[in-house]
Amino acid sequence: MRKKDYLKEPIKHIDIKKYNVVEMIENMGDMAFSARELSRAGKIYDTMLRDKKCTVILTLAGSLFSAGLKKVVYDMVNNNMVDVIVSTGAIIVDQDFFEALGFKHYKGWYQNIDDNELRKLHIDRIYDTFIDEDDLRICDETIGKIANSLEPRPYSSREFIEEMGKYLKQHAKNKESVVLSAYEKGVPIFVPAFSDCSAGFGLVLHQWQNPDKHVSIDSAKDFLELTKIKIKAKETGIFMIGGGVPKNFTQDVVVACDVLGYNLPMHKYAIQITVADVRDGALSSSTLKEASSWGKVDTHCEQMVYSEATIAMPMITAYAYHKGGWKNRKGKRYSDWLNSEGKNFSKKTASNL
Amino acid sequence: MRKKDYLKEPIKHIDIKKYNVVEMIENMGDMAFSARELSRAGKIYDTMLRDKKCTVILTLAGSLFSAGLKKVVYDMVNNNMVDVIVSTGAIIVDQDFFEALGFKHYKGWYQNIDDNELRKLHIDRIYDTFIDEDDLRICDETIGKIANSLEPRPYSSREFIEEMGKYLKQHAKNKESVVLSAYEKGVPIFVPAFSDCSAGFGLVLHQWQNPDKHVSIDSAKDFLELTKIKIKAKETGIFMIGGGVPKNFTQDVVVACDVLGYNLPMHKYAIQITVADVRDGALSSSTLKEASSWGKVDTHCEQMVYSEATIAMPMITAYAYHKGGWKNRKGKRYSDWLNSEGKNFSKKTASNL
Amino acid sequence: MRKKDYLKEPIKHIDIKKYNVVEMIENMGDMAFSARELSRAGKIYDTMLRDKKCTVILTLAGSLFSAGLKKVVYDMVNNNMVDVIVSTGAIIVDQDFFEALGFKHYKGWYQNIDDNELRKLHIDRIYDTFIDEDDLRICDETIGKIANSLEPRPYSSREFIEEMGKYLKQHAKNKESVVLSAYEKGVPIFVPAFSDCSAGFGLVLHQWQNPDKHVSIDSAKDFLELTKIKIKAKETGIFMIGGGVPKNFTQDVVVACDVLGYNLPMHKYAIQITVADVRDGALSSSTLKEASSWGKVDTHCEQMVYSEATIAMPMITAYAYHKGGWKNRKGKRYSDWLNSEGKNFSKKTASNL
Amino acid sequence: MRKKDYLKEPIKHIDIKKYNVVEMIENMGDMAFSARELSRAGKIYDTMLRDKKCTVILTLAGSLFSAGLKKVVYDMVNNNMVDVIVSTGAIIVDQDFFEALGFKHYKGWYQNIDDNELRKLHIDRIYDTFIDEDDLRICDETIGKIANSLEPRPYSSREFIEEMGKYLKQHAKNKESVVLSAYEKGVPIFVPAFSDCSAGFGLVLHQWQNPDKHVSIDSAKDFLELTKIKIKAKETGIFMIGGGVPKNFTQDVVVACDVLGYNLPMHKYAIQITVADVRDGALSSSTLKEASSWGKVDTHCEQMVYSEATIAMPMITAYAYHKGGWKNRKGKRYSDWLNSEGKNFSKKTASNL
């Protein structure tokens, strides 16, 4: 087979605005097991959106956007259903920014597949999805080019991703992009392990070519910025897809406030979609009850949903979308704040809050 | 119950040097399912250690050291069974550095536990393990203190962790520490998401208190340093415990070399212990076959072992330890190289390699 | 708490006829991971129903009906969407027959639950569901009473369950029963491990009270009857919820035909909803590809869906229901045939087929 | 490839008598997660064996003997480490009886395997194991032959398996057989879904060829016999490998006693090795705590071990073997009792107990 025979059918993103699942999800609340959990998670998300004081943080892990979930998050950003995003790098750079550059993900398969042949054809595989490695290299290089254009200093990943948004504002071939719309809506995106993706390749190239003066990515600054948001927001709810660093990072922010001397409430709402098993002791699978021992998550409005994300995430978000709790909600534009007062919000100035 | 009633029985670390499981593991190779996988993983690890050209990279994710696996890695470092470590932050800072400061993890439980009571008593829970939150805060502060003592500039996590090693050289109360022994043996430790742990709290405090001039953690520099090691090492094998950022980061390094213009071999050997399920499309669970489509992992000597780490890791490492393939092996001291020639090893100078 | 405080909110069964998910499920077919699998499973089930020669066998394992899935199967039976059912005993006796007697399942919980208190109150727990043990005892006794009323001889479970249907025809308090409607529609129900449920208690009581002459349950006869159906049906498709004995038993029937000298096609269609992990070597999780090595399942139209059943089963069946492939389908009434010609269909008479 | 190229390397059964893991398992008790669970399970099994009043019931599910665990159970039977076995049919017939007839299982693989080619070559695959289907057919026929030789009446699976033991006494080519040694040691083996395996094929053939007078397998009688054992034994402990019908059947026996009017203690000890996930609501994965709400399992000495059986079962049994708690234990020979007094032990005669 030739390369074009593998890369034929593009992944299409699901559009939650088309499916009114409200009654079905509510009826699932009278069943048991995962159906009831899914239903309760939908209701908690809707409650978060109706709670005007509550800042909603979305955490993303797993190959979600290559799997067709990009438009779900795009619609959440555009409808003020989320205020802050914390993500793995692959979702934001290799998948969202990549598609904004005009590239696509393709439907593939995993049974009887010859991965060595794929490699020779420059095709990367994610389970049942194919990607053109040559396209990805252009994505890497674009990151390098953006880095080359910036003043050499430490950036938070959030600042760098805003620069990606600015770049897309001018050059996007596909405007249905979370990076772009988050930039326009002032929704900060944090990627605490920013080098661990296509961005890493671009930045390594940038630093390799500019050994003395270069852009660096300061993950401590990321954590400080998110901590500042928590201090400003006070009440927060988290909607977690998968676990990993984004989950941990976001839960930890409550403790960080405490370390800085701010006694703030735990995350008031928390839902997580995951298939990870609690018994392996990893963070991804640790229960939200366990997080409450650490002072991170309140246990009154929390729900874990045991499901793979491509099924559960569209259903929970479609429920909340059609339920309409977001309609009276305004965007909080935390990016604007971080770029202005929030920038100098520190030990000295915090008393003015 | 009072706090001291919860924090009674310390976790003890298993000592692989005491258990000669060679015959048992070899016989398991004639069984099926996980036993045969475990056996093959043991043999691949032993083969890696006998392959003199091969640099061995260990990746760590999950709450491993709080679960009693610290001494396993400590023995690996001291016996030249590993050349590079890539880890989550919690393992290195909250667990290893924490115990080196004289603190302990405690045997706990998870059934009929009141996490709200634990929170009030300042006890954190990881599944069936308890930690004194007050001890952890001292750990956070110690990181802040180390940051305060350093020249303000971007550091790779690897550089910062060396400073932690230096600190322990003087102040360690418990010398059985991976951070300390890796410092002494010149084994670099990378934590690509360094702020996502107790270190993050310390660094946030440091930057908060020093808003203008401060230490920053440059995750791109981490990736560049690991890429330089791959360029120097050429042949590499990876032993992965869990998945997460450490797995992805380490696999990606082959592609990073390619981006810099170096056509290097994929990881020649790869073993992974995991309970993650391939069907959720997350990276932690992605098969090593899949990684070969990306040009990351060679498919001839790879083995995934489906087991929780506290059972499989001691058995695989005890097998390799008693099999003795490491006896003729010397430490590669990559930290020394990164701090000297490797520092200036860049586009201009790489031709001298 | 008193018993009635636990047993307050009954489980309600989901009604697939109310939710037209056709477009959503079809769009999920352009995504990846479980969403695409779910979509393909829906399409295969619709194809099965449009294939007029194909006999559809449904296998059921797990606590499905207590979780709110009873009406899904009830609607499948009444709309000729299934021809044969193979199930665990608990679903058919403890859950379906139980509810037909007028009893209910209740919404419960599993966190901070005191199972010892439940036991004292005669409440049984299935994860997040409660059952009144006293009601279950009446169910056991009713089975014993039915056994007492029958001619003492070996029965297939299918024959005994028909007697339960006859009983319900007269005494059912809740007529929305799969046992009752299957009886009326001539859909045979096999429970290969019939003693492993409430029926077992009733039959043990019956045999204990009638040590010399009693009803016995001949599991070999079950297997022979299902084999006869396969010989008569020739083309078959299987829709499996969970694994266990029902999955194995149904897959094995192809081999049984071969043992009797009939060279029949493998199951032409096969879908399975499961969360079991292939790596443990158990039958429940064995892939449908693996089954093809045994000559059981054809590999062209098969799909495993990795999801808990309460989410995936309503969606797949709602898809097929609203897609309407079943509308031109007639019931095959295999029970009638087994009770007439099929009864004497044996080595001697099979040549007349 | 030809058939003989696939069937080259036989599976070899692990010999727990060779590996003294006592110290390692005890040290694992000071770790966390699965290692600590494994250690506690080993200790509970040893305690069961030292508790002279306790009858030990072993339940088996999953392809255990084809995976190399046959000798583990063989050694348990021969050293009075087990009094009753409840199993799936495949383990006892397709795997144990099959090997006793002189056939073997072979090491295979699952990656890049062509299952259609395997089918054409008459090779069956279980994950990474191969079986000669032609050998299996001889096994089926041997069961048919044994059935043909018996008086036509309903048998419990236990009675039929004893006839298989008698057959092996004369004809076994490989005497390392659990069916044979259990027959000699008077250890009853129950297979509650006896038709769901190679035995089913043999019995279908037998009934097909003898439509009027034939052997039948009465699963209610199985349940009654196991209930009689519980009434006689009073105190019981269960060691469960996997879940399925054997787990459920054995746990249910306590309730069956209650239905017959005997108020007996719950299972006093219970350990289970499983990888099934509690969140799917299936019985295989239901916790032992949950079972206590049903009055089945006492919660003081219970432990679930989250591991695939080929790793955990040899370690737990090797621990108990070398710990030696079984040394003063005598076989209880329940088969002898069921064949004599137990036979007529019923409503009338039970008062003599």
Side-chain angles (χ1 to χ4, degrees), chain D residues 25-39:
Chain D
I25 299 293
E26 288 187 345
N27 289 358
M28 281 181 163
D30 288 321
M31 297 174 66
F33 307 157
S34 298
R36 199 197 299 164
E37 292 172 353
L38 182 78
S39 182

PDB file of all heavy atoms in Angstrom, chain D residues 25-39:
ATOM      1  N   ILE D  25       8.006 -12.735  50.319  1.00  0.00           N
ATOM      2  CA  ILE D  25       6.579 -12.415  50.471  1.00  0.00           C
ATOM      3  C   ILE D  25       6.335 -11.708  51.798  1.00  0.00           C
ATOM      4  O   ILE D  25       5.534 -10.773  51.874  1.00  0.00           O
ATOM      5  CB  ILE D  25       5.733 -13.709  50.379  1.00  0.00           C
ATOM      6  CG1 ILE D  25       5.904 -14.388  49.015  1.00  0.00           C
ATOM      7  CG2 ILE D  25       4.258 -13.409  50.660  1.00  0.00           C
ATOM      8  CD1 ILE D  25       5.351 -13.657  47.842  1.00  0.00           C
ATOM      9  N   GLU D  26       7.034 -12.122  52.836  1.00  0.00           N
ATOM     10  CA  GLU D  26       6.835 -11.431  54.112  1.00  0.00           C
ATOM     11  C   GLU D  26       7.321  -9.997  54.041  1.00  0.00           C
ATOM     12  O   GLU D  26       6.658  -9.089  54.534  1.00  0.00           O
ATOM     13  CB  GLU D  26       7.480 -12.220  55.256  1.00  0.00           C
ATOM     14  CG  GLU D  26       6.642 -13.480  55.507  1.00  0.00           C
ATOM     15  CD  GLU D  26       7.051 -14.308  56.720  1.00  0.00           C
ATOM     16  OE1 GLU D  26       8.159 -14.093  57.249  1.00  0.00           O
ATOM     17  OE2 GLU D  26       6.247 -15.189  57.108  1.00  0.00           O
ATOM     18  N   ASN D  27       8.429  -9.768  53.384  1.00  0.00           N
ATOM     19  CA  ASN D  27       8.913  -8.390  53.247  1.00  0.00           C
ATOM     20  C   ASN D  27       7.975  -7.552  52.386  1.00  0.00           C
ATOM     21  O   ASN D  27       7.818  -6.351  52.608  1.00  0.00           O
ATOM     22  CB  ASN D  27      10.320  -8.374  52.665  1.00  0.00           C
ATOM     23  CG  ASN D  27      11.353  -8.889  53.659  1.00  0.00           C
ATOM     24  OD1 ASN D  27      11.014  -9.230  54.795  1.00  0.00           O
ATOM     25  ND2 ASN D  27      12.591  -8.968  53.257  1.00  0.00           N
ATOM     26  N   MET D  28       7.343  -8.181  51.410  1.00  0.00           N
ATOM     27  CA  MET D  28       6.381  -7.435  50.587  1.00  0.00           C
ATOM     28  C   MET D  28       5.217  -6.907  51.436  1.00  0.00           C
ATOM     29  O   MET D  28       4.549  -5.949  51.054  1.00  0.00           O
ATOM     30  CB  MET D  28       5.846  -8.306  49.449  1.00  0.00           C
ATOM     31  CG  MET D  28       6.826  -8.408  48.273  1.00  0.00           C
ATOM     32  SD  MET D  28       6.137  -9.433  46.933  1.00  0.00           S
ATOM     33  CE  MET D  28       7.225  -8.951  45.555  1.00  0.00           C
ATOM     34  N   GLY D  29       5.007  -7.519  52.577  1.00  0.00           N
ATOM     35  CA  GLY D  29       3.955  -7.058  53.481  1.00  0.00           C
ATOM     36  C   GLY D  29       4.231  -5.689  54.086  1.00  0.00           C
ATOM     37  O   GLY D  29       3.331  -5.058  54.636  1.00  0.00           O
ATOM     38  N   ASP D  30       5.476  -5.225  53.972  1.00  0.00           N
ATOM     39  CA  ASP D  30       5.805  -3.878  54.461  1.00  0.00           C
ATOM     40  C   ASP D  30       5.852  -2.855  53.347  1.00  0.00           C
ATOM     41  O   ASP D  30       6.281  -1.724  53.556  1.00  0.00           O
ATOM     42  CB  ASP D  30       7.149  -3.903  55.207  1.00  0.00           C
ATOM     43  CG  ASP D  30       7.025  -4.611  56.543  1.00  0.00           C
ATOM     44  OD1 ASP D  30       5.988  -4.426  57.203  1.00  0.00           O
ATOM     45  OD2 ASP D  30       7.955  -5.348  56.923  1.00  0.00           O
ATOM     46  N   MET D  31       5.445  -3.259  52.134  1.00  0.00           N
ATOM     47  CA  MET D  31       5.362  -2.322  51.015  1.00  0.00           C
ATOM     48  C   MET D  31       3.901  -1.815  50.912  1.00  0.00           C
ATOM     49  O   MET D  31       3.181  -1.804  51.902  1.00  0.00           O
ATOM     50  CB  MET D  31       5.800  -3.018  49.726  1.00  0.00           C
ATOM     51  CG  MET D  31       7.265  -3.467  49.746  1.00  0.00           C
ATOM     52  SD  MET D  31       7.726  -4.439  48.277  1.00  0.00           S
ATOM     53  CE  MET D  31       7.584  -3.211  46.964  1.00  0.00           C
ATOM     54  N   ALA D  32       3.479  -1.414  49.725  1.00  0.00           N
ATOM     55  CA  ALA D  32       2.102  -0.945  49.540  1.00  0.00           C
ATOM     56  C   ALA D  32       1.486  -1.659  48.331  1.00  0.00           C
ATOM     57  O   ALA D  32       2.079  -2.566  47.769  1.00  0.00           O
ATOM     58  CB  ALA D  32       2.075   0.567  49.333  1.00  0.00           C
ATOM     59  N   PHE D  33       0.269  -1.252  47.983  1.00  0.00           N
ATOM     60  CA  PHE D  33      -0.400  -1.706  46.766  1.00  0.00           C
ATOM     61  C   PHE D  33      -0.448  -3.248  46.659  1.00  0.00           C
ATOM     62  O   PHE D  33      -0.653  -3.928  47.657  1.00  0.00           O
ATOM     63  CB  PHE D  33       0.254  -1.095  45.531  1.00  0.00           C
ATOM     64  CG  PHE D  33       0.366   0.403  45.564  1.00  0.00           C
ATOM     65  CD1 PHE D  33       1.324   1.065  44.799  1.00  0.00           C
ATOM     66  CD2 PHE D  33      -0.475   1.188  46.354  1.00  0.00           C
ATOM     67  CE1 PHE D  33       1.438   2.453  44.814  1.00  0.00           C
ATOM     68  CE2 PHE D  33      -0.376   2.573  46.367  1.00  0.00           C
ATOM     69  CZ  PHE D  33       0.588   3.195  45.597  1.00  0.00           C
ATOM     70  N   SER D  34      -0.265  -3.772  45.455  1.00  0.00           N
ATOM     71  CA  SER D  34      -0.448  -5.209  45.230  1.00  0.00           C
ATOM     72  C   SER D  34       0.553  -6.069  45.978  1.00  0.00           C
ATOM     73  O   SER D  34       0.232  -7.195  46.356  1.00  0.00           O
ATOM     74  CB  SER D  34      -0.348  -5.521  43.735  1.00  0.00           C
ATOM     75  OG  SER D  34      -1.371  -4.855  43.032  1.00  0.00           O
ATOM     76  N   ALA D  35       1.755  -5.582  46.192  1.00  0.00           N
ATOM     77  CA  ALA D  35       2.741  -6.384  46.923  1.00  0.00           C
ATOM     78  C   ALA D  35       2.233  -6.678  48.336  1.00  0.00           C
ATOM     79  O   ALA D  35       2.315  -7.812  48.811  1.00  0.00           O
ATOM     80  CB  ALA D  35       4.080  -5.647  46.986  1.00  0.00           C
ATOM     81  N   ARG D  36       1.687  -5.651  48.993  1.00  0.00           N
ATOM     82  CA  ARG D  36       1.184  -5.866  50.342  1.00  0.00           C
ATOM     83  C   ARG D  36      -0.050  -6.780  50.332  1.00  0.00           C
ATOM     84  O   ARG D  36      -0.209  -7.626  51.220  1.00  0.00           O
ATOM     85  CB  ARG D  36       0.853  -4.538  51.022  1.00  0.00           C
ATOM     86  CG  ARG D  36       0.768  -4.679  52.546  1.00  0.00           C
ATOM     87  CD  ARG D  36       0.043  -3.519  53.221  1.00  0.00           C
ATOM     88  NE  ARG D  36       0.703  -2.262  52.997  1.00  0.00           N
ATOM     89  CZ  ARG D  36       0.121  -1.070  53.214  1.00  0.00           C
ATOM     90  NH1 ARG D  36      -1.113  -1.013  53.684  1.00  0.00           N
ATOM     91  NH2 ARG D  36       0.758   0.042  52.955  1.00  0.00           N
ATOM     92  N   GLU D  37      -0.894  -6.603  49.331  1.00  0.00           N
ATOM     93  CA  GLU D  37      -2.074  -7.472  49.199  1.00  0.00           C
ATOM     94  C   GLU D  37      -1.668  -8.935  48.999  1.00  0.00           C
ATOM     95  O   GLU D  37      -2.239  -9.855  49.584  1.00  0.00           O
ATOM     96  CB  GLU D  37      -2.919  -7.043  47.996  1.00  0.00           C
ATOM     97  CG  GLU D  37      -3.594  -5.696  48.145  1.00  0.00           C
ATOM     98  CD  GLU D  37      -4.265  -5.212  46.860  1.00  0.00           C
ATOM     99  OE1 GLU D  37      -4.093  -5.858  45.803  1.00  0.00           O
ATOM    100  OE2 GLU D  37      -4.947  -4.185  46.911  1.00  0.00           O
ATOM    101  N   LEU D  38      -0.684  -9.129  48.123  1.00  0.00           N
ATOM    102  CA  LEU D  38      -0.186 -10.473  47.846  1.00  0.00           C
ATOM    103  C   LEU D  38       0.339 -11.114  49.125  1.00  0.00           C
ATOM    104  O   LEU D  38       0.060 -12.284  49.421  1.00  0.00           O
ATOM    105  CB  LEU D  38       0.953 -10.360  46.820  1.00  0.00           C
ATOM    106  CG  LEU D  38       1.602 -11.646  46.337  1.00  0.00           C
ATOM    107  CD1 LEU D  38       0.712 -12.321  45.311  1.00  0.00           C
ATOM    108  CD2 LEU D  38       2.966 -11.358  45.691  1.00  0.00           C
ATOM    109  N   SER D  39       1.070 -10.351  49.881  1.00  0.00           N
ATOM    110  CA  SER D  39       1.657 -10.850  51.117  1.00  0.00           C
ATOM    111  C   SER D  39       0.562 -11.237  52.110  1.00  0.00           C
ATOM    112  O   SER D  39       0.604 -12.318  52.706  1.00  0.00           O
ATOM    113  CB  SER D  39       2.548  -9.756  51.710  1.00  0.00           C
ATOM    114  OG  SER D  39       3.176 -10.202  52.878  1.00  0.00           O
TER     115      SER D  39
END
